[in-house]
């Protein structure tokens, strides 16, 4: 369920931000005029594959240590600060329709910065935009300080409620698809989430995410 209507010449490509990408995971489709044995990808292009219905995907991939030239070397927090200075309708992509955080939040060392990363994603997303988030399964199911229910409330407080049926748990990973909203019926008022013990027992990890009580506008 992506924002926007069917593809038309006046409908811009959907803007996707892939954080911690390392490489470009959304390569453009092969040139149509080339045969199967000669298909090559357009290099250094940020125009991704066509989506169902014909709309295109415009991809911005960033990483601290990229392995491809088409991936921008950038710190997420610096990048977000620069993007948020742009007008919301800037053609340069001041806002995004989709943000991907795949195994990124768990590599942020400071629990408060993990929370700030999620808030920044909410600020970068257009209303109705999607956040696709992947965490190691033990972050939610074997942590002293974080459970699924608390995480779900945390995301709602950030204006990023998990869409109905939009999460999945495997033996190794947790996946969540969240939709940016300002609707009071779908989100919770911004509030703080501190560090408190939710589980006891041996073998637990210490992963947690901390949030202050400010809204996405800093209030």
């Amino acid at each position: 369920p992506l924002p926007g209507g069917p593809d038309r010449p006046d409908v811009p490509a959907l803007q996707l931000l892939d954080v911690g990408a390392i490489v470009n995971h959304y390569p453009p489709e092969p040139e149509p005029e080339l045969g199967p044995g000669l298909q090559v990808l357009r290099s250094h292009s940020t125009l991704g594959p066509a989506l169902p219905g014909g709309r295109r995907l415009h991809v911005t991939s960033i990483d601290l240590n990229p392995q491809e030239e088409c991936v921008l070397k950038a710190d997420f927090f610096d990048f977000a600060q620069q993007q948020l200075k742009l007008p919301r309708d800037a053609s340069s992509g001041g806002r995004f329709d989709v943000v991907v955080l795949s195994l990124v939040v768990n590599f942020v060392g400071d629990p408060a910065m993990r929370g700030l990363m999620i808030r920044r994603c909410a600020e970068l997303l257009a209303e109705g935009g999607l956040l696709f988030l992947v965490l190691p399964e033990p972050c939610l199911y074997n942590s002293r300080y974080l459970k699924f229910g608390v995480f779900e409330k945390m995301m709602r407080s950030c204006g990023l409620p998990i869409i109905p049926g939009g999460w999945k748990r495997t033996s190794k990973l947790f996946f969540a698809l969240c939709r940016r909203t300002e609707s009071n019926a779908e989100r919770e008022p911004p509030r703080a989430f501190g560090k408190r013990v939710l589980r006891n027992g041996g073998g637990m990890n210490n992963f947690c995410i901390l949030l202050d009580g400010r809204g996405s506008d800093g209030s």
Side-chain angles (χ1 to χ4, degrees):
L2 292 166
D7 183 52
R8 302 191 310 270
D10 60 323
V11 176
L14 288 167
Q15 301 290 324
L16 183 145
L17 173 63
D18 191 4
V19 182
I22 303 178
V23 297
N24 179 19
H25 297 284
Y26 306 88
E29 295 177 331
E31 296 286 358
E33 66 272 11
L34 299 179
L38 298 174
Q39 289 179 342
V40 295
L41 298 177
R42 294 182 289 271
S43 61
H44 312 296
S45 174
T46 57
L47 187 65
L51 299 168
R55 276 191 95 176
R56 300 308 301 262
L57 197 64
H58 187 275
V59 180
T60 302
S61 301
I62 67 172
D63 195 274
L64 285 172
N65 296 291
Q67 301 300 306
E68 291 182 356
E69 291 184 5
C70 60
V71 179
L72 177 66
K73 182 178 176 63
D75 172 82
F76 168 79
F77 296 100
D78 294 338
F79 177 86
Q81 185 178 19
Q82 294 172 359
Q83 289 291 311
L84 291 170
K85 292 178 181 178
L86 300 174
R88 184 171 290 271
D89 59 351
S91 60
S92 55
R95 297 294 186 270
F96 294 89
D97 299 297
V98 184
V99 174
V100 176
L101 289 180
S102 181
L103 298 176
V104 174
V105 175
N106 52 295
F107 280 103
V108 178
D110 185 342
M113 296 301 287
R114 295 170 189 159
L116 181 61
M117 174 174 276
I118 293 172
R119 284 207 190 280
R120 289 289 179 266
C121 287
E123 295 167 357
L124 288 170
L125 280 168
E127 178 72 7
L130 300 174
L131 170 66
F132 180 62
L133 187 147
V134 184
L135 289 169
E137 189 267 359
C139 289
L140 293 186
Y141 296 95
N142 197 44
S143 169
R144 292 182 179 87
Y145 306 111
L146 192 60
K147 290 183 175 181
F148 173 78
V150 173
F151 174 77
E152 188 177 31
K153 292 179 180 178
M154 186 179 297
M155 299 305 290
R156 287 175 61 88
S157 176
C158 291
L160 290 167
I162 301 173
I163 68 172
W167 67 275
K168 178 182 178 180
R169 174 190 179 188
T170 71
S171 61
K172 294 184 179 180
L173 298 172
F174 170 81
F175 305 85
L177 186 63
C178 309
R179 187 183 296 278
R180 175 75 170 97
T181 180
E182 292 288 348
S183 169
N184 291 331
E186 299 179 74
R187 61 176 298 166
E188 294 187 3
R191 65 183 181 93
F193 286 81
K195 185 176 181 179
R196 63 187 183 92
V197 176
L198 302 174
R199 290 188 183 94
N200 287 308
M204 300 288 178
N205 64 67
N206 295 319
F207 182 84
C208 64
I209 299 174
L210 303 182
L211 279 174
D212 58 30
R214 295 179 296 175
S216 60
D217 61 356
S219 60

PDB file of all heavy atoms in Angstrom, residues 15 60 72 78-96 123-125:
ATOM      1  N   GLN A  15       9.729   8.550  -3.650  1.00  0.00           N
ATOM      2  CA  GLN A  15      11.054   8.791  -3.094  1.00  0.00           C
ATOM      3  C   GLN A  15      11.325   7.800  -1.959  1.00  0.00           C
ATOM      4  O   GLN A  15      10.594   7.764  -0.974  1.00  0.00           O
ATOM      5  CB  GLN A  15      11.145  10.221  -2.564  1.00  0.00           C
ATOM      6  CG  GLN A  15      10.897  11.296  -3.602  1.00  0.00           C
ATOM      7  CD  GLN A  15      12.031  11.382  -4.612  1.00  0.00           C
ATOM      8  OE1 GLN A  15      13.202  11.197  -4.267  1.00  0.00           O
ATOM      9  NE2 GLN A  15      11.693  11.661  -5.846  1.00  0.00           N
ATOM     10  N   THR A  60      17.401   6.936  -2.831  1.00  0.00           N
ATOM     11  CA  THR A  60      18.561   7.565  -2.215  1.00  0.00           C
ATOM     12  C   THR A  60      19.112   6.587  -1.191  1.00  0.00           C
ATOM     13  O   THR A  60      18.445   6.275  -0.205  1.00  0.00           O
ATOM     14  CB  THR A  60      18.195   8.882  -1.515  1.00  0.00           C
ATOM     15  OG1 THR A  60      17.598   9.773  -2.466  1.00  0.00           O
ATOM     16  CG2 THR A  60      19.415   9.542  -0.905  1.00  0.00           C
ATOM     17  N   LEU A  72      25.553   7.106  -1.247  1.00  0.00           N
ATOM     18  CA  LEU A  72      26.118   8.324  -0.679  1.00  0.00           C
ATOM     19  C   LEU A  72      26.759   8.042   0.673  1.00  0.00           C
ATOM     20  O   LEU A  72      26.140   7.427   1.545  1.00  0.00           O
ATOM     21  CB  LEU A  72      25.016   9.376  -0.515  1.00  0.00           C
ATOM     22  CG  LEU A  72      25.411  10.707   0.136  1.00  0.00           C
ATOM     23  CD1 LEU A  72      26.375  11.466  -0.764  1.00  0.00           C
ATOM     24  CD2 LEU A  72      24.167  11.546   0.408  1.00  0.00           C
ATOM     25  N   ASP A  78      23.226  13.652  10.228  1.00  0.00           N
ATOM     26  CA  ASP A  78      23.626  14.822   9.440  1.00  0.00           C
ATOM     27  C   ASP A  78      22.777  14.937   8.181  1.00  0.00           C
ATOM     28  O   ASP A  78      22.331  16.030   7.806  1.00  0.00           O
ATOM     29  CB  ASP A  78      25.105  14.731   9.054  1.00  0.00           C
ATOM     30  CG  ASP A  78      26.024  14.818  10.267  1.00  0.00           C
ATOM     31  OD1 ASP A  78      25.595  15.347  11.306  1.00  0.00           O
ATOM     32  OD2 ASP A  78      27.176  14.354  10.165  1.00  0.00           O
ATOM     33  N   PHE A  79      22.551  13.804   7.517  1.00  0.00           N
ATOM     34  CA  PHE A  79      21.747  13.790   6.301  1.00  0.00           C
ATOM     35  C   PHE A  79      20.326  14.261   6.596  1.00  0.00           C
ATOM     36  O   PHE A  79      19.762  15.085   5.865  1.00  0.00           O
ATOM     37  CB  PHE A  79      21.730  12.374   5.713  1.00  0.00           C
ATOM     38  CG  PHE A  79      20.872  12.216   4.496  1.00  0.00           C
ATOM     39  CD1 PHE A  79      21.360  12.505   3.237  1.00  0.00           C
ATOM     40  CD2 PHE A  79      19.556  11.779   4.619  1.00  0.00           C
ATOM     41  CE1 PHE A  79      20.564  12.352   2.109  1.00  0.00           C
ATOM     42  CE2 PHE A  79      18.758  11.628   3.501  1.00  0.00           C
ATOM     43  CZ  PHE A  79      19.260  11.913   2.245  1.00  0.00           C
ATOM     44  N   ALA A  80      19.736  13.750   7.675  1.00  0.00           N
ATOM     45  CA  ALA A  80      18.362  14.130   8.024  1.00  0.00           C
ATOM     46  C   ALA A  80      18.267  15.617   8.330  1.00  0.00           C
ATOM     47  O   ALA A  80      17.308  16.291   7.922  1.00  0.00           O
ATOM     48  CB  ALA A  80      17.884  13.302   9.217  1.00  0.00           C
ATOM     49  N   GLN A  81      19.245  16.146   9.040  1.00  0.00           N
ATOM     50  CA  GLN A  81      19.231  17.568   9.371  1.00  0.00           C
ATOM     51  C   GLN A  81      19.253  18.425   8.118  1.00  0.00           C
ATOM     52  O   GLN A  81      18.531  19.425   8.024  1.00  0.00           O
ATOM     53  CB  GLN A  81      20.426  17.903  10.263  1.00  0.00           C
ATOM     54  CG  GLN A  81      20.444  19.342  10.759  1.00  0.00           C
ATOM     55  CD  GLN A  81      21.615  19.612  11.685  1.00  0.00           C
ATOM     56  OE1 GLN A  81      22.596  18.884  11.708  1.00  0.00           O
ATOM     57  NE2 GLN A  81      21.508  20.663  12.474  1.00  0.00           N
ATOM     58  N   GLN A  82      20.046  18.027   7.135  1.00  0.00           N
ATOM     59  CA  GLN A  82      20.103  18.776   5.882  1.00  0.00           C
ATOM     60  C   GLN A  82      18.788  18.659   5.112  1.00  0.00           C
ATOM     61  O   GLN A  82      18.278  19.645   4.564  1.00  0.00           O
ATOM     62  CB  GLN A  82      21.258  18.255   5.027  1.00  0.00           C
ATOM     63  CG  GLN A  82      22.634  18.516   5.639  1.00  0.00           C
ATOM     64  CD  GLN A  82      23.748  17.826   4.866  1.00  0.00           C
ATOM     65  OE1 GLN A  82      23.500  17.134   3.884  1.00  0.00           O
ATOM     66  NE2 GLN A  82      24.971  18.001   5.316  1.00  0.00           N
ATOM     67  N   GLN A  83      18.214  17.456   5.069  1.00  0.00           N
ATOM     68  CA  GLN A  83      16.967  17.251   4.336  1.00  0.00           C
ATOM     69  C   GLN A  83      15.816  18.038   4.947  1.00  0.00           C
ATOM     70  O   GLN A  83      14.969  18.574   4.228  1.00  0.00           O
ATOM     71  CB  GLN A  83      16.613  15.763   4.307  1.00  0.00           C
ATOM     72  CG  GLN A  83      17.510  14.916   3.433  1.00  0.00           C
ATOM     73  CD  GLN A  83      17.318  15.213   1.957  1.00  0.00           C
ATOM     74  OE1 GLN A  83      16.198  15.245   1.472  1.00  0.00           O
ATOM     75  NE2 GLN A  83      18.408  15.428   1.248  1.00  0.00           N
ATOM     76  N   LEU A  84      15.793  18.117   6.271  1.00  0.00           N
ATOM     77  CA  LEU A  84      14.687  18.787   6.944  1.00  0.00           C
ATOM     78  C   LEU A  84      14.734  20.305   6.790  1.00  0.00           C
ATOM     79  O   LEU A  84      13.763  20.991   7.114  1.00  0.00           O
ATOM     80  CB  LEU A  84      14.673  18.404   8.427  1.00  0.00           C
ATOM     81  CG  LEU A  84      14.296  16.942   8.701  1.00  0.00           C
ATOM     82  CD1 LEU A  84      14.549  16.573  10.151  1.00  0.00           C
ATOM     83  CD2 LEU A  84      12.850  16.678   8.320  1.00  0.00           C
ATOM     84  N   LYS A  85      15.841  20.824   6.290  1.00  0.00           N
ATOM     85  CA  LYS A  85      15.929  22.252   6.001  1.00  0.00           C
ATOM     86  C   LYS A  85      15.294  22.596   4.658  1.00  0.00           C
ATOM     87  O   LYS A  85      15.015  23.761   4.388  1.00  0.00           O
ATOM     88  CB  LYS A  85      17.393  22.706   6.000  1.00  0.00           C
ATOM     89  CG  LYS A  85      18.059  22.653   7.366  1.00  0.00           C
ATOM     90  CD  LYS A  85      19.518  23.072   7.261  1.00  0.00           C
ATOM     91  CE  LYS A  85      20.214  23.014   8.623  1.00  0.00           C
ATOM     92  NZ  LYS A  85      21.642  23.384   8.512  1.00  0.00           N
ATOM     93  N   LEU A  86      15.063  21.567   3.820  1.00  0.00           N
ATOM     94  CA  LEU A  86      14.495  21.787   2.498  1.00  0.00           C
ATOM     95  C   LEU A  86      12.987  21.933   2.589  1.00  0.00           C
ATOM     96  O   LEU A  86      12.355  21.360   3.479  1.00  0.00           O
ATOM     97  CB  LEU A  86      14.842  20.619   1.576  1.00  0.00           C
ATOM     98  CG  LEU A  86      16.326  20.354   1.331  1.00  0.00           C
ATOM     99  CD1 LEU A  86      16.486  19.084   0.517  1.00  0.00           C
ATOM    100  CD2 LEU A  86      16.970  21.534   0.613  1.00  0.00           C
ATOM    101  N   PRO A  87      12.374  22.694   1.667  1.00  0.00           N
ATOM    102  CA  PRO A  87      10.911  22.775   1.643  1.00  0.00           C
ATOM    103  C   PRO A  87      10.302  21.392   1.455  1.00  0.00           C
ATOM    104  O   PRO A  87      10.895  20.521   0.808  1.00  0.00           O
ATOM    105  CB  PRO A  87      10.630  23.673   0.435  1.00  0.00           C
ATOM    106  CG  PRO A  87      11.903  24.429   0.217  1.00  0.00           C
ATOM    107  CD  PRO A  87      13.016  23.514   0.643  1.00  0.00           C
ATOM    108  N   ARG A  88       9.129  21.197   1.993  1.00  0.00           N
ATOM    109  CA  ARG A  88       8.495  19.880   1.937  1.00  0.00           C
ATOM    110  C   ARG A  88       8.251  19.420   0.505  1.00  0.00           C
ATOM    111  O   ARG A  88       8.280  18.232   0.211  1.00  0.00           O
ATOM    112  CB  ARG A  88       7.183  19.902   2.706  1.00  0.00           C
ATOM    113  CG  ARG A  88       6.483  18.554   2.780  1.00  0.00           C
ATOM    114  CD  ARG A  88       5.307  18.581   3.728  1.00  0.00           C
ATOM    115  NE  ARG A  88       5.764  18.691   5.101  1.00  0.00           N
ATOM    116  CZ  ARG A  88       6.064  17.647   5.878  1.00  0.00           C
ATOM    117  NH1 ARG A  88       5.972  16.438   5.389  1.00  0.00           N
ATOM    118  NH2 ARG A  88       6.471  17.821   7.112  1.00  0.00           N
ATOM    119  N   ASP A  89       8.020  20.352  -0.417  1.00  0.00           N
ATOM    120  CA  ASP A  89       7.740  19.963  -1.794  1.00  0.00           C
ATOM    121  C   ASP A  89       8.976  20.106  -2.687  1.00  0.00           C
ATOM    122  O   ASP A  89       8.859  20.216  -3.887  1.00  0.00           O
ATOM    123  CB  ASP A  89       6.602  20.811  -2.362  1.00  0.00           C
ATOM    124  CG  ASP A  89       6.937  22.306  -2.339  1.00  0.00           C
ATOM    125  OD1 ASP A  89       7.961  22.679  -1.729  1.00  0.00           O
ATOM    126  OD2 ASP A  89       6.173  23.084  -2.933  1.00  0.00           O
ATOM    127  N   ALA A  90      10.158  20.118  -2.086  1.00  0.00           N
ATOM    128  CA  ALA A  90      11.381  20.290  -2.878  1.00  0.00           C
ATOM    129  C   ALA A  90      11.579  19.110  -3.818  1.00  0.00           C
ATOM    130  O   ALA A  90      11.434  17.955  -3.434  1.00  0.00           O
ATOM    131  CB  ALA A  90      12.595  20.416  -1.964  1.00  0.00           C
ATOM    132  N   SER A  91      11.914  19.397  -5.075  1.00  0.00           N
ATOM    133  CA  SER A  91      12.137  18.338  -6.051  1.00  0.00           C
ATOM    134  C   SER A  91      13.377  17.529  -5.721  1.00  0.00           C
ATOM    135  O   SER A  91      13.546  16.414  -6.196  1.00  0.00           O
ATOM    136  CB  SER A  91      12.276  18.938  -7.455  1.00  0.00           C
ATOM    137  OG  SER A  91      13.375  19.844  -7.497  1.00  0.00           O
ATOM    138  N   SER A  92      14.236  18.087  -4.870  1.00  0.00           N
ATOM    139  CA  SER A  92      15.452  17.376  -4.488  1.00  0.00           C
ATOM    140  C   SER A  92      15.195  16.319  -3.431  1.00  0.00           C
ATOM    141  O   SER A  92      16.122  15.637  -3.012  1.00  0.00           O
ATOM    142  CB  SER A  92      16.492  18.380  -3.969  1.00  0.00           C
ATOM    143  OG  SER A  92      15.945  19.142  -2.904  1.00  0.00           O
ATOM    144  N   GLY A  93      13.954  16.161  -3.017  1.00  0.00           N
ATOM    145  CA  GLY A  93      13.642  15.083  -2.083  1.00  0.00           C
ATOM    146  C   GLY A  93      13.709  15.499  -0.635  1.00  0.00           C
ATOM    147  O   GLY A  93      14.273  14.779   0.191  1.00  0.00           O
ATOM    148  N   GLY A  94      13.162  16.646  -0.304  1.00  0.00           N
ATOM    149  CA  GLY A  94      13.164  17.072   1.090  1.00  0.00           C
ATOM    150  C   GLY A  94      12.337  16.184   1.987  1.00  0.00           C
ATOM    151  O   GLY A  94      12.504  16.184   3.194  1.00  0.00           O
ATOM    152  N   ARG A  95      11.417  15.409   1.413  1.00  0.00           N
ATOM    153  CA  ARG A  95      10.652  14.430   2.142  1.00  0.00           C
ATOM    154  C   ARG A  95      10.635  13.130   1.346  1.00  0.00           C
ATOM    155  O   ARG A  95      10.860  13.115   0.135  1.00  0.00           O
ATOM    156  CB  ARG A  95       9.220  14.921   2.386  1.00  0.00           C
ATOM    157  CG  ARG A  95       9.129  16.164   3.252  1.00  0.00           C
ATOM    158  CD  ARG A  95       9.608  15.890   4.685  1.00  0.00           C
ATOM    159  NE  ARG A  95       9.388  17.046   5.535  1.00  0.00           N
ATOM    160  CZ  ARG A  95      10.280  18.028   5.709  1.00  0.00           C
ATOM    161  NH1 ARG A  95      11.418  17.990   5.040  1.00  0.00           N
ATOM    162  NH2 ARG A  95      10.018  19.036   6.513  1.00  0.00           N
ATOM    163  N   PHE A  96      10.342  12.034   2.037  1.00  0.00           N
ATOM    164  CA  PHE A  96      10.380  10.724   1.401  1.00  0.00           C
ATOM    165  C   PHE A  96       9.049  10.012   1.574  1.00  0.00           C
ATOM    166  O   PHE A  96       8.332  10.215   2.547  1.00  0.00           O
ATOM    167  CB  PHE A  96      11.509   9.877   1.990  1.00  0.00           C
ATOM    168  CG  PHE A  96      12.878  10.418   1.690  1.00  0.00           C
ATOM    169  CD1 PHE A  96      13.470  11.334   2.555  1.00  0.00           C
ATOM    170  CD2 PHE A  96      13.554  10.045   0.551  1.00  0.00           C
ATOM    171  CE1 PHE A  96      14.726  11.857   2.275  1.00  0.00           C
ATOM    172  CE2 PHE A  96      14.809  10.566   0.258  1.00  0.00           C
ATOM    173  CZ  PHE A  96      15.390  11.472   1.129  1.00  0.00           C
ATOM    174  N   GLU A 123       9.869  12.474  10.807  1.00  0.00           N
ATOM    175  CA  GLU A 123       9.936  13.834  10.270  1.00  0.00           C
ATOM    176  C   GLU A 123      10.247  13.835   8.772  1.00  0.00           C
ATOM    177  O   GLU A 123       9.784  14.708   8.028  1.00  0.00           O
ATOM    178  CB  GLU A 123      10.996  14.628  11.030  1.00  0.00           C
ATOM    179  CG  GLU A 123      10.644  14.848  12.505  1.00  0.00           C
ATOM    180  CD  GLU A 123      11.825  15.357  13.304  1.00  0.00           C
ATOM    181  OE1 GLU A 123      12.921  15.494  12.732  1.00  0.00           O
ATOM    182  OE2 GLU A 123      11.653  15.602  14.509  1.00  0.00           O
ATOM    183  N   LEU A 124      11.039  12.868   8.330  1.00  0.00           N
ATOM    184  CA  LEU A 124      11.420  12.800   6.919  1.00  0.00           C
ATOM    185  C   LEU A 124      10.301  12.264   6.043  1.00  0.00           C
ATOM    186  O   LEU A 124      10.260  12.537   4.839  1.00  0.00           O
ATOM    187  CB  LEU A 124      12.656  11.910   6.748  1.00  0.00           C
ATOM    188  CG  LEU A 124      13.989  12.474   7.237  1.00  0.00           C
ATOM    189  CD1 LEU A 124      15.051  11.389   7.227  1.00  0.00           C
ATOM    190  CD2 LEU A 124      14.422  13.661   6.386  1.00  0.00           C
ATOM    191  N   LEU A 125       9.391  11.495   6.618  1.00  0.00           N
ATOM    192  CA  LEU A 125       8.336  10.880   5.832  1.00  0.00           C
ATOM    193  C   LEU A 125       7.186  11.835   5.577  1.00  0.00           C
ATOM    194  O   LEU A 125       6.781  12.601   6.454  1.00  0.00           O
ATOM    195  CB  LEU A 125       7.800   9.641   6.552  1.00  0.00           C
ATOM    196  CG  LEU A 125       8.631   8.361   6.418  1.00  0.00           C
ATOM    197  CD1 LEU A 125       8.155   7.319   7.410  1.00  0.00           C
ATOM    198  CD2 LEU A 125       8.553   7.812   4.994  1.00  0.00           C
TER     199      LEU A 125
END
